[in-house]
Amino acid sequence: VSQSTADENEALSGEDAVPPPQQDETVEGTPSPSPVVTASVPAPELTRPPTTRAPVAETSTTTTKAPVADISLTAEEKEQIALSILETAIPSSSYAALTSDPESVPNQALDWVLNRDAYPYDWAGLSSDPIDETAKTDLLQRYVLGGLFLGTGGDGWNGGRGWMTSDDVCTWWGIECGSEDVIQARANNGQGDDGDGEVWRKLQSDRTVTKIVLVDNALSGFLPEDLSALPSLTAIEMHENRLRGTIPSSIFELPELDTLFLDANRLEGEISPDIAKLTKLRRLTLNDNRFVGTIP
């Protein structure tokens, strides 16, 4: 679970000073040495965020997945089930790379899901008609986050506790799941219930990824197009890394995204007018990159 930190004297170049943690808020009125690129959306709040680092808690609440029915499927059958799901969930260009290029990140991510990930996928639910939505969400989230790790040099990250293990993705370092009350309960190791067990029940059941916070974490490579397969994402915070290439247009299809922090990377190219599709966007930072062209 991320905790936001802020330093009133920290320049946008990302000096490595971490003051005492405080609630995540946008710093108002802080001078900025470089302009903040803004989105063409209604009344956006466009100020440089406080430097946020992924959580480094010593303990965490592990969400236990209930046992699922074990059915006998061949490796080929599992692959066909996964492909049928991904074909409609990820961008067509990513699916084309998945099915044609064994060295592509999408192909590597699916190989990890099918052959190396020890997580107990619900193949009975995935093969049922209609498909079990919880089983589908589990597969998609692990595929997408596995691709993020593999495509941005995860082995060299500054922090990555839990990533690529069989643990629930909601316990992975820098990943937050569920609504705000669920996130807070998970941060408190399940404490702060409302008296009737409702928050605790949500903590056990709501495993939908809503935030990815990997700030100043030595990410390199390219932003994956497949992030669009996580439609509940409200925040992507990956500033102060070494990401390069363009911003995938698929990210602009995320219906709930309200925070996009990508400043202080090596991103380039033009900023697509499609960024205006992010109708819930409130906070955006794209400065200290290598963009060209006009601001949409």
Side-chain angles (χ1 to χ4, degrees):
V1 178
S2 67
Q3 292 188 350
S4 303
T5 60
D7 185 340
E8 293 182 356
N9 296 322
E10 178 184 5
L12 288 181
S13 57
E15 293 177 5
D16 195 20
V18 183
Q22 63 183 34
Q23 294 294 322
D24 185 13
E25 60 182 8
T26 305
V27 178
E28 298 292 345
T30 303
S32 174
S34 57
V36 176
V37 180
T38 60
S40 178
V41 294
E45 178 189 341
L46 304 173
T47 55
R48 175 65 164 83
T51 300
T52 309
R53 299 184 186 278
V56 194
E58 293 299 324
T59 60
S60 63
T61 298
T62 300
T63 303
T64 303
K65 181 181 177 182
V68 297
D70 183 23
I71 63 173
S72 179
L73 292 174
T74 66
E76 291 75 14
E77 288 172 330
K78 291 181 179 179
E79 180 178 1
Q80 288 306 311
I81 291 171
L83 286 173
S84 67
I85 294 170
L86 293 171
E87 185 175 14
T88 58
I90 64 177
S92 57
S93 56
S94 182
Y95 185 78
L98 166 64
T99 55
S100 63
D101 183 3
E103 301 301 320
S104 67
V105 171
N107 191 284
Q108 293 176 42
L110 181 57
D111 176 73
W112 172 72
V113 166
L114 294 175
N115 301 313
R116 291 177 284 133
D117 186 10
Y119 183 77
Y121 292 98
D122 182 2
W123 290 105
L126 290 169
S127 58
S128 65
D129 186 13
I131 192 171
D132 184 276
E133 290 299 323
T134 298
K136 178 180 176 181
T137 297
D138 278 344
L139 184 140
L140 284 174
Q141 290 185 160
R142 297 185 73 83
Y143 164 82
V144 172
L145 295 178
L148 174 62
F149 183 91
L150 294 168
T152 59
D155 288 335
W157 288 0
N158 293 333
R161 187 186 64 246
W163 283 74
M164 309 305 277
T165 70
S166 60
D167 293 344
D168 192 290
V169 295
C170 297
T171 68
W172 290 6
W173 198 72
I175 299 299
E176 298 182 7
C177 296
S179 56
E180 289 300 323
D181 57 346
V182 173
I183 290 172
Q184 187 59 46
R186 189 173 283 112
N188 296 333
N189 287 327
Q191 302 301 313
D193 208 332
D194 55 8
D196 62 2
E198 181 62 24
V199 171
W200 182 254
R201 285 193 292 274
K202 288 181 180 179
L203 178 62
Q204 297 298 310
S205 63
D206 193 345
R207 304 196 309 274
T208 303
V209 174
T210 53
K211 295 183 180 182
I212 302 176
V213 183
L214 297 170
V215 181
D216 191 16
N217 202 41
L219 275 67
S220 60
F222 303 90
L223 277 171
E225 292 183 292
D226 294 343
L227 287 175
S228 62
L230 303 178
S232 297
L233 273 181
T234 62
I236 298 175
E237 301 184 27
M238 299 184 189
H239 46 296
E240 300 178 29
N241 284 293
R242 298 193 298 272
L243 296 170
R244 63 185 191 275
T246 60
I247 301 176
S249 59
S250 59
I251 287 181
F252 305 143
E253 303 291 337
L254 290 168
E256 302 299 324
L257 195 70
D258 67 23
T259 299
L260 181 60
F261 293 160
L262 294 175
D263 57 281
N265 277 286
R266 301 172 184 176
L267 299 170
E268 57 190 18
E270 296 187 356
I271 301 171
S272 171
D274 287 342
I275 196 171
K277 294 180 179 180
L278 297 175
T279 57
K280 293 189 177 182
L281 189 68
R282 297 184 304 110
R283 301 191 296 172
L284 170 70
T285 58
L286 298 176
N287 53 285
D288 292 332
N289 281 290
R290 301 170 181 175
F291 294 117
V292 298
T294 58
I295 300 175

